[in-house]
Amino acid sequence: MKILMTVLFTLFAFNTFAQHDHGGDKLVDTAEATTEALEYFKANSNHDDVDDFKGIKAWPVSGGIKVKVYMKTRGDVEYSCHRHSASEPFECHDAK
């Protein structure tokens, strides 16, 4: 849980910084998609998977953001995140 809180704080700080960077749409999108992917992971994973959380990686791709959540002993899960329109929040789905 401490790791998850650290990641969320880092994303908040990153998102705050990115919003002040004019032309940083990819940075803002990556931060927002990462937050949504973590929420999706927590809501759709069992307690053991959430407790096994190790880290996260996110990167922009054509049409959205890919997010990979790593676990210590259980491998990883990858999500594809996108918006349906510019004014809507990100939506994430299992990529595999």
Side-chain angles (χ1 to χ4, degrees):
M1 187 57 135
K2 188 175 183 180
I3 294 172
L4 181 58
M5 294 304 295
T6 300
V7 169
L8 291 176
F9 176 78
T10 302
L11 290 174
F12 172 76
F14 179 73
N15 191 26
T16 300
F17 171 79
Q19 287 178 352
H20 297 292
D21 179 18
H22 302 292
D25 292 342
K26 287 182 183 179
L27 294 176
V28 171
D29 287 352
T30 302
E32 290 179 14
T34 301
T35 299
E36 178 59 30
L38 282 172
E39 290 175 7
Y40 184 85
F41 171 73
K42 186 175 181 181
N44 293 286
S45 298
N46 63 48
H47 180 72
D48 291 337
D49 285 348
V50 173
D51 282 350
D52 203 40
F53 175 81
K54 178 181 178 182
I56 194 163
K57 177 181 177 182
W59 62 98
V61 295
S62 177
I65 306 293
K66 289 280 189 177
V67 179
K68 188 175 278 195
V69 176
Y70 297 92
M71 291 172 276
K72 295 172 195 162
T73 61
R74 298 169 182 262
D76 57 63
V77 291
E78 188 173 302
Y79 301 113
S80 293
C81 303
H82 63 277
R83 298 181 195 270
H84 290 280
S85 71
S87 63
E88 292 184 21
F90 270 91
E91 185 177 291
C92 296
H93 307 281
D94 292 336
K96 295 179 181 180

